Structures are given as structure tokens and as C-alpha cells.
Amino acid sequence: MSTRELIRRAAFALLAAVACQSALAQSGLRVRNIRVDVAPLRANVGDPTASWVQQELPEQLAQALAGRMTAQGGALVVRIDYLTLGPMKDSSARDNISGVAMIGNVQWPVRATTKYQASAIDQTLVERSNRQRVAQLVQALTYWLARDL
């Protein structure tokens, strides 16, 4: 992976972390616990994609919502239905993740889109680059969930 690519990815991660903290300061719902359901995603795209989301999303949400976790809060259930790694066009692609978030009897659709910029090494390390793309989608979805709760 080139130095430029590493810097770009590190900058994206830093920006997402700052954005999550900013979103948390503006929101009000309290959360008791977090559960992520990837069964529909597993049926739609299979593994390892569903496993990557199941590993990443609960951890990211717990970190983003740490200041709002309380025993009096509601249980947050996030069901991921679809994840699409878009086709490459001019060395970039649009990736999407979507599903439903629920607290109590209230549910709302959630989704996030990221733009992936390919690097030369991605052609030889396809699984690694796909996992990175999934991680970026999870990060973006976490930002929107933390902001909208």
C-alpha cells in the first residue's frame, strides 16, 4: 500500500472519529445495549462480508455511543440488509450499506454510502481491500446512527 493511500485512509478514520464525537454531543437518546443482526445480509451476500460487518459494527457503535450508554436507555438493534461494493469506474467506486435501526417499537431506515478510491495494490490483495471497503462503510454508518439517535 502506498504512503499516499495510508495517509488518505488515516485521514478518513480521523475525520470519522471527530465527526462521531461531534454527533454525540448533539444527540439525546440513551442506549442500554447494542445488538447487530446480519442474518439478512448473510442471506444476501454471504461471508466473509457479513462476518466483517458483525465484527466491526457492534464495536464501532459501542465506542461512538459510549457516553450515552445507561441502564435506563433502550436496546438498540441494527439490522443490516444489504451491502454493495460498487463496480470500479475510473479507479473509484461507490459502496453502500443499508438496513433498519430499532429502539423499542420505533424503527427507521439507515444507510451510508462511501466512495472508494482504488490503489494499485488492491488488484493483488482483493480480500484485504474489500475488508477495508466494508470497514469504511461501517464507519460511515456508525457516524449517521450516532448523529441521528
Side-chain angles (χ1 to χ4, degrees):
M1 184 176 305
S2 71
T3 302
R4 184 176 181 196
E5 181 68 13
L6 285 172
I7 291 170
R8 184 186 69 77
R9 289 181 181 183
F12 178 81
L14 179 62
L15 179 62
V18 169
C20 278
Q21 291 302 320
S22 175
L24 290 174
Q26 299 171 8
S27 48
L29 282 179
R30 301 290 177 218
V31 176
R32 180 178 61 246
N33 60 4
I34 299 165
R35 195 178 116 237
V36 174
D37 177 10
V38 296
L41 179 63
R42 186 166 277 120
N44 288 323
V45 299
D47 281 319
T49 304
S51 294
W52 294 337
V53 172
Q54 191 165 19
Q55 291 167 6
E56 296 275 336
L57 189 54
E59 181 180 312
Q60 293 270 339
L61 286 171
Q63 185 177 22
L65 300 173
R68 297 186 5 213
M69 300 293 284
T70 177
Q72 293 78 31
L76 171 63
V77 178
V78 180
R79 185 187 74 220
I80 303 300
D81 298 324
Y82 299 101
L83 187 147
T84 306
L85 299 179
M88 298 303 258
K89 182 177 181 184
D90 299 328
S91 297
S92 68
R94 291 275 179 198
D95 300 334
N96 299 286
I97 189 170
S98 63
V100 176
M102 298 164 267
I103 294 183
N105 293 329
V106 179
Q107 67 178 1
W108 63 98
V110 293
R111 74 175 164 205
T113 301
T114 59
K115 182 178 180 183
Y116 179 75
Q117 188 67 41
S119 72
I121 199 163
D122 290 347
Q123 293 176 2
T124 57
L125 301 171
V126 175
E127 186 171 340
R128 186 170 127 189
S129 67
N130 285 350
R131 185 171 183 141
Q132 180 62 34
R133 291 169 75 175
V134 170
Q136 287 176 349
L137 280 169
V138 166
Q139 211 168 35
L141 186 67
T142 299
Y143 165 77
W144 291 113
L145 278 168
R147 189 196 77 161
D148 291 346
L149 286 178

